[in-house]
Amino acid sequence: MMRAGVRSRESRRLLLEAGAEEFAQTGFYQTKVSSIAARAGLTQPDFYIHFESKEQLYEELVESFGTLVNDTVQSMKIGPDLSEAEILRRGQVFLEAIFRVLSNNPAITRVGFYQATDSVRIKAEMAEHIKKHLLAAQRWGSCREELDPELTAECMIGLIERLTLTKLLPGRESPSVLAKQARNLLYHGMLGSEE
């Protein structure tokens, strides 16, 4: 028999998952507490044991999404004296980690990265972390000096955002394939090599 504390945590988890699915499919305003509870296999009173309102559940989803994405961006590690091959490898690892986080729960990604008002803040924080990494790379000579770090970071967020929507969430490409293609574009550009 399941203990009350374990059952309570499981019910809360089910409500969060069901809420993400409902919000992703129908949007915040059309989603009802009754539909979240039903999707979770629970009752409305069960819902109110864990959350005061659908707003509280929604805010928790968006906040946890933002934390996860930004923790992933902050984990990007670069340093001085890296070889070009190591920079390319770390770039791919970083992009793949971001795409993997975004693909792990498509419903939460749709809510946190596209629907929520806070998605603008979440993406701005991501861009700010990337900009800091680029500034450090410029100081170490690992990144071209003439690049505008803020513009480059915003371009990276735009690329991640669009590829997630058109390729990743529909299952048309895997995180590793997208990471490799995005890395090649970002690090090598679009022009053929000059010889």
Side-chain angles (χ1 to χ4, degrees), residues 127 130-131 134-135 138 145 147-154:
I130 292 169
K131 176 180 143 186
L134 291 169
L135 284 166
Q138 284 177 324
E145 282 185 27
L147 285 180
D148 178 335
E150 184 175 348
L151 179 71
T152 305
E154 293 293 340

Side-chain angles (χ1 to χ4, degrees), residues 17 27 43-44 46 81 86 98 111 118 127 176:
E17 287 179 6
T43 65
Q44 277 186 257
D46 291 330
D81 303 325
E86 182 60 15
I98 292 292
V111 171
D118 272 359
S176 59

Side-chain angles (χ1 to χ4, degrees), residues 16 19 22-23 26-36 47-48 51-61:
L16 285 165
E22 287 292 320
F23 292 131
T26 61
F28 176 80
Y29 294 106
Q30 287 72 35
T31 296
K32 296 179 177 25
V33 168
S34 59
S35 62
I36 295 170
F47 178 93
Y48 288 110
F51 300 98
E52 292 178 14
S53 63
K54 74 176 185 178
E55 289 85 357
Q56 183 190 15
L57 186 146
Y58 189 82
E59 288 170 9
E60 186 172 322
L61 285 170

Side-chain angles (χ1 to χ4, degrees), residues 80-133:
D81 303 325
L82 295 177
S83 68
E84 185 175 322
E86 182 60 15
I87 291 169
L88 289 172
R89 188 192 72 73
R90 288 186 185 196
Q92 182 158 343
V93 167
F94 165 71
L95 287 164
E96 188 169 344
I98 292 292
F99 285 128
R100 200 159 300 288
V101 163
L102 295 171
S103 70
N104 280 345
N105 191 324
I108 291 176
T109 295
R110 287 188 189 284
V111 171
F113 212 48
Y114 299 101
Q115 290 179 4
T117 303
D118 272 359
S119 68
V120 173
R121 176 189 55 82
I122 290 167
K123 289 179 264 196
E125 289 173 358
M126 289 174 67
E128 188 60 30
H129 293 305
I130 292 169
K131 176 180 143 186
K132 287 177 185 175
H133 290 303

Side-chain angles (χ1 to χ4, degrees), residues 42 73 87 91 125 143:
L42 300 168
V73 173
I87 291 169
E125 289 173 358
C143 185

Side-chain angles (χ1 to χ4, degrees), residues 21 70 135 178 192:
E21 293 290 335
N70 279 300
L135 284 166
L178 285 179

